[in-house]
Amino acid sequence: MKVIAVDTSTSSGSAALLDGDLLVAEWSLQCAQTHNRRLLRSIDFLLQQAGWSLNDLDGFAVATGPGSFTGLRIGLSTVKTLAWSVNKPFVGISSLDALAAPLCFAQLPVCPILDARKKEIYFALYKQIQCGQLMLQGSYCVSKPERLIERIDQPTIVCGDGWLLYRELLRSKLRKLAVELPAPYHTIRAANVGAMAMRRLQTGEAEDPMTSIPLYVRPSEAELHKQQKT
């Protein structure tokens, strides 16, 4: 099964091609430019290098959030349109799930953390339920960084751009409870989005690209303005 996967939920964009258990190609870039400046070019480049066309693909996957509202809309609208144009299955994957995915063999709890702007973070807690499988504990959260400190009471693996941004504050409070990781684990990889989507596609869990929406966790600016007017 050939799948293309995309992540645009943070300032680090990524795209990947997978063929079953084989990672054929992957591209990632940390850049201040908005994703619409490079996403389609990146997808086209990967397909050309692999010698694939859109019609060769069996499925499309994208990280649906939480994350940057603008980035999520760009990634979701692009991938949904491509899937719809060739009438192929589509799957959305949580950004926090994808960030935690490489740590599925960890015996300690895992806490991926993303920058939510406005001095807040998105985070979730995961626990290994069997070797190679993490389960979300509770729900996806958005809060001030200080609130995360109340949720961690045992040694926990932390990762993500939210951790890097608030590391000094969180590390001073959590101390030895925070188990830090090297640079590669702080970025969402499209390869992990694709691998998670592959499993869902193989069991027939595709979504309707026309109705799939971003996982914002908190209201958008437009929604907040509307609430203030009512």
Side-chain angles (χ1 to χ4, degrees):
M1 175 176 284
K2 294 181 178 179
V3 170
I4 187 167
V6 165
D7 169 59
T8 55
S9 53
T10 69
S11 58
S12 175
S14 184
L17 300 178
L18 296 92
D19 188 356
D21 293 329
L22 177 66
L23 174 59
V24 175
E26 186 175 28
W27 169 93
S28 297
L29 178 66
Q30 180 82 33
C31 182
Q33 290 184 341
T34 57
H35 294 290
N36 63 351
R37 299 284 297 274
R38 59 184 184 271
L39 179 56
L40 281 174
R41 292 201 305 270
S42 303
I43 291 173
D44 184 58
F45 174 78
L46 287 184
L47 290 172
Q48 286 190 29
Q49 293 302 303
W52 295 4
S53 70
L54 286 178
N55 286 312
D56 293 325
L57 297 169
D58 301 301
F60 291 75
V62 65
T64 56
S68 160
F69 288 1
T70 300
L72 292 175
R73 288 195 291 268
I74 292 170
L76 199 57
S77 61
T78 299
V79 177
K80 289 200 308 180
T81 300
L82 292 175
W84 176 83
S85 69
V86 291
N87 193 29
K88 296 294 178 68
F90 165 87
V91 172
I93 298 294
S94 159
S95 306
L96 289 170
D97 289 358
L99 184 55
L103 304 168
C104 61
F105 293 99
Q107 296 185 359
L108 294 177
V110 175
C111 181
I113 308 166
L114 294 173
D115 177 21
R117 312 283 176 87
K118 300 183 178 180
K119 298 181 179 180
E120 292 185 326
I121 55 173
Y122 298 115
F123 70 91
L125 291 168
Y126 298 80
K127 184 178 180 181
Q128 186 189 96
I129 56 172
Q130 64 182 43
C131 188
Q133 185 175 355
L134 294 175
M135 175 173 285
L136 176 66
Q137 306 295 297
S139 59
Y140 306 114
C141 303
V142 59
S143 73
K144 298 293 184 182
E146 293 82 357
R147 296 296 301 276
L148 173 61
I149 298 166
E150 303 170 5
R151 300 285 302 275
I152 296 180
D153 58 5
Q154 60 182 306
T156 300
I157 297 172
V158 291
C159 60
D161 65 359
W163 167 258
L164 296 179
L165 182 62
Y166 296 103
R167 176 162 51 190
E168 296 308 314
L169 167 65
L170 295 172
R171 187 164 51 186
S172 69
K173 300 295 184 180
L174 293 171
R175 299 182 182 276
K176 293 184 179 180
L177 294 181
V179 180
E180 299 185 66
L181 295 173
Y185 292 93
H186 296 299
T187 301
I188 299 171
R189 291 183 57 185
N192 291 319
V193 175
M196 298 177 75
M198 183 88 66
R199 291 192 289 270
R200 291 178 55 183
L201 289 168
Q202 289 170 342
T203 56
E205 298 180 51
E207 303 172 26
D208 183 351
M210 301 303 292
T211 58
S212 180
I213 59 175
L215 174 63
Y216 286 138
V217 177
R218 73 178 178 199
S220 66
E221 289 292 339
E223 292 172 319
L224 288 174
H225 288 317
K226 184 177 180 180
Q227 292 173 5
Q228 292 171 357
K229 292 179 180 180
T230 57

